[in-house]
Amino acid sequence: MTSSNLLVRKLEGFHPFSADDRKFLESHCRPLHEIPAKHDIIREGDTPDGVVLILSGFACRYKLIAGGRRQIMAFLVPGDFCDFQVFVLKHMDHSIGTLSRCQVVRIKREAILLLTERPAIARAFWWASLVDAATLREWLVNIGQRHAEERIGHLLCELLVRLEAVGLVRHNAYTLPISQIDLADALGVSVVHTNRMLMALREYDLVELAAREVVVKDVEGLKSFSDFNPNYLHLESREQPSAI
């Protein structure tokens, strides 16, 4: 599976494509651009002229507040758009930055409009946008209502499911190329507290962390511990047969 097919694989989880739809979508997943880690793809206040697709690496949506503090509002993984609707805005109301080295595709406004003329692709884009909104709601619940250890467990479960959907999980293990600072900024806790939470999950024998790889040793146990229900990711449509 090539990198560009990650988007096709993700979107076909929401709506089946014909072979012609797949070919048309893949034709717009080039050329690739490489962006180094800790680099802004687009900043708050900029005028967007298209959509960026992440093909490898991790990025995030974030806002900076007084004193330079950062709140991460979403992690973006391979196959994710950096806000499908942003090109209709006059100015960005948040920033999107890389957390690791990323390969991306920049899709111009005109190409997005052409893609959405195809009903199956348009429905898949719409569904992906609704899932982004649902994920943000779940993150609000996670930060506002769950205990700190549950928050990080919930996030690790979410990433397991999302990365599995694009074929980037093997034996319940996946690469997590981000720092504990990034995790802390996403979960609304200190770096010291983040480290303690990760140690607690290890002690409970739920996960193993080494060399920026997460191994979920007890998937059902971690889901139960973290009160994780994947319904907000709306992946049940993967059971539908793909169109020919």
Side-chain angles (χ1 to χ4, degrees):
M1 181 176 61
T2 62
S3 292
S4 63
N5 282 335
L6 291 176
L7 174 64
V8 176
R9 178 165 180 162
K10 174 185 175 178
L11 293 179
E12 282 199 298
F14 302 134
H15 194 284
F17 292 157
S18 67
D20 190 49
D21 285 333
R22 292 189 202 102
K23 183 177 179 181
F24 190 68
L25 184 57
E26 288 181 351
S27 71
H28 291 282
C29 292
R30 60 177 76 94
L32 294 180
H33 302 276
E34 191 163 299
I35 302 180
K38 311 300 182 184
H39 182 87
D40 282 334
I41 296 173
I42 189 166
R43 293 189 177 97
E44 184 172 357
D46 288 352
T47 301
D49 62 352
V51 173
V52 174
L53 167 65
I54 304 294
L55 291 181
S56 71
F58 270 55
C60 69
R61 299 189 188 105
Y62 75 92
K63 287 184 76 80
L64 292 177
I65 58 177
R69 290 176 295 166
R70 179 182 65 165
Q71 179 64 54
I72 290 178
M73 300 169 290
F75 286 131
L76 302 170
V77 304
D80 283 349
F81 282 118
C82 297
D83 287 327
F84 174 66
Q85 305 95 339
V86 294
F87 73 92
V88 304
L89 301 176
K90 291 184 178 180
H91 302 288
M92 289 289 293
D93 56 27
H94 64 282
S95 299
I96 298 172
T98 60
L99 298 172
S100 67
R101 182 176 62 85
C102 290
Q103 287 185 322
V104 306
V105 169
R106 298 182 183 274
I107 305 177
K108 292 294 185 181
R109 179 195 306 261
E110 296 77 13
I112 291 292
L113 294 175
L114 282 174
L115 287 166
T116 54
E117 288 179 0
R118 292 177 173 250
I121 295 177
R123 284 193 290 270
F125 281 169
W126 188 11
W127 198 317
S129 297
L130 292 173
V131 170
D132 284 347
T135 302
L136 178 58
R137 290 192 292 271
E138 191 68 22
W139 275 44
L140 290 173
V141 173
N142 205 33
I143 292 176
Q145 297 299 324
R146 294 190 177 100
H147 296 299
E149 292 174 3
E150 295 172 343
R151 292 183 201 177
I152 198 162
H154 194 281
L155 177 58
L156 295 179
C157 284
E158 178 186 299
L159 291 173
L160 176 71
V161 172
R162 290 172 61 193
L163 291 170
E164 190 171 39
V166 289
L168 296 178
V169 172
R170 290 185 181 275
H171 307 297
N172 296 324
Y174 58 89
T175 300
L176 187 63
I178 62 179
S179 69
Q180 290 191 16
I181 294 174
D182 300 326
L183 288 172
D185 287 350
L187 297 170
V189 297
S190 69
V191 177
V192 171
H193 203 166
T194 298
N195 184 263
R196 288 174 181 165
M197 291 188 294
L198 291 171
M199 289 179 63
L201 293 181
R202 289 193 194 101
E203 290 171 0
Y204 299 152
D205 206 30
L206 295 172
V207 302
E208 183 178 315
L209 303 163
R212 296 205 169 185
E213 182 179 72
V214 175
V215 180
V216 182
K217 299 175 71 174
D218 182 353
V219 174
E220 293 307 315
L222 186 62
K223 288 180 178 179
S224 177
F225 174 82
S226 308
D227 188 32
F228 179 78
N229 183 337
N231 63 346
Y232 65 97
L233 298 173
H234 297 283
L235 295 175
E236 65 277 2
S237 62
R238 290 187 180 279
E239 298 175 0
Q240 298 175 357
S242 296
I244 297 174

